[in-house]
Amino acid sequence: MADAGGLVVSAHSADFVWRAGGAIALHGARGAPMTVVCLTYGERGESAKLWRQAGMALEKVKAERRKEAEGAARILGVADIQFWDLGDYPIALDETALHRLVDVYRRLRPSFILTHSRRDIYNRDHELVTEFAQHARIIAQAHGHKPGERVLGAPPVFLFEPHQPEQCGWTPDVLLDITSVWDKKRAAIECMAGQEHLWEYYTRVALQRGAQAARNSDKAIVYGEGYQSIFPRVVESLP
Ligand SMILES: [Zn+2]
């Protein structure tokens, strides 16, 4: 059976790159189609460098951000990237958007879901998106929602590393070896011209998680990505 692939629910249009670019490239290369939903462009809150340019306007920022994200998605091998343009800072997550995401879950039936951390004291949009993504998953599993449609199973949910995990109560319990696709992740990171100050920051994060992944295994891992899972893993053997 073909791999249903993974779904990434990204608040702003660069989050999927910093926080999950390795996972996306890795699974995409293995033939698992990766879908990325960018709920907003991060046009107000995560585009400081663009706003410093003279004559900048909201629509221009959005267009730039879209171009950057599309370039990154191409490099990472994303099968489908969607821009919902809901508006950021504050993000506008209404019932229409919720039902739209429920429909995406049911249509894709992804093998796994990636989204933001439960807490992010630096970014309210991120916290709201985590709750939103979870809420949609719950509705997609409900037999009474659009009866007759096939309900969603129980895809595991992995939460992105926030910018400063210590302040956000986020602890990684999954370390993903992304060494083989690091070049792609770095190239995708460099598509994010509006947030150049984060390129080296997220390279250091990947090196730290890689060193920790090596320490927790007997593998020669250089680059890693950390996730926090929120449901118990169901296994048939230990380890
Ligand atoms: Zn963001």
Side-chain angles (χ1 to χ4, degrees):
M1 212 173 99
D3 193 319
L7 172 65
V8 185
V9 184
S10 182
H12 311 105
S13 63
D15 288 315
F16 74 93
V17 180
W18 321 115
R19 313 185 194 291
I24 293 167
L26 209 55
H27 289 89
R30 290 176 186 159
M34 295 297 297
T35 299
V36 177
V37 172
C38 295
L39 296 169
T40 77
Y41 293 106
E43 62 272 16
R44 293 180 196 275
E46 298 185 3
S47 305
K49 193 178 165 196
L50 291 169
W51 282 112
R52 281 194 285 268
Q53 293 174 20
M56 197 42 80
L58 198 63
E59 289 309 313
K60 214 165 147 185
V61 174
K62 285 187 191 179
E64 273 304 309
R65 295 279 292 175
R66 182 179 181 125
K67 211 161 66 188
E68 291 175 2
E70 284 173 339
R74 248 190 317 274
I75 290 168
L76 297 173
V78 170
D80 180 25
I81 184 161
Q82 302 179 19
F83 299 96
W84 290 15
D85 192 15
L86 299 177
D88 74 327
Y89 282 62
I91 193 164
L93 299 169
D94 61 10
E95 208 161 303
T96 306
L98 183 64
H99 284 283
R100 190 172 168 190
L101 189 61
V102 172
D103 289 344
V104 169
Y105 281 166
R106 283 203 171 171
R107 195 177 63 248
L108 290 178
R109 300 180 57 76
S111 316
F112 62 100
I113 295 161
L114 303 175
T115 193
H116 291 268
S117 56
R118 270 182 284 211
R119 288 200 65 219
D120 190 338
I121 58 167
Y122 302 97
N123 200 307
R124 181 68 180 139
D125 286 2
H126 291 176
E127 295 181 327
L128 291 170
V129 166
T130 312
E131 204 181 305
F132 174 75
Q134 272 299 102
H135 195 179
R137 184 181 179 277
I138 292 165
I139 296 169
Q141 290 175 322
H143 288 264
H145 175 74
K146 295 188 180 171
E149 267 190 20
R150 197 169 168 210
V151 300
L152 181 72
V157 180
F158 300 100
L159 305 180
F160 298 155
E161 175 157 1
H163 194 65
Q164 287 191 36
E166 301 86 344
Q167 313 304 323
C168 302
W170 178 95
T171 308
D173 60 1
V174 175
L175 293 171
L176 182 68
D177 176 6
I178 62 163
T179 310
S180 65
V181 293
W182 170 252
D183 288 351
K184 285 188 192 173
K185 178 162 180 175
R186 175 69 199 206
I189 282 175
E190 289 183 15
C191 290
M192 298 300 151
Q195 289 170 289
E196 200 178 336
H197 61 291
L198 294 178
W199 295 3
E200 292 310 315
Y201 185 94
Y202 280 102
T203 297
R204 292 195 298 273
V205 170
L207 283 167
Q208 285 293 93
R209 295 302 176 204
Q212 292 160 4
R215 174 69 179 82
N216 284 279
S217 67
D218 58 358
K219 295 174 184 153
I221 298 171
V222 181
Y223 294 98
E225 238 164 40
Y227 293 95
Q228 183 173 37
S229 56
I230 54 176
F231 296 105
R233 252 152 293 172
V234 180
V235 297
E236 279 160 23
S237 68
L238 295 172

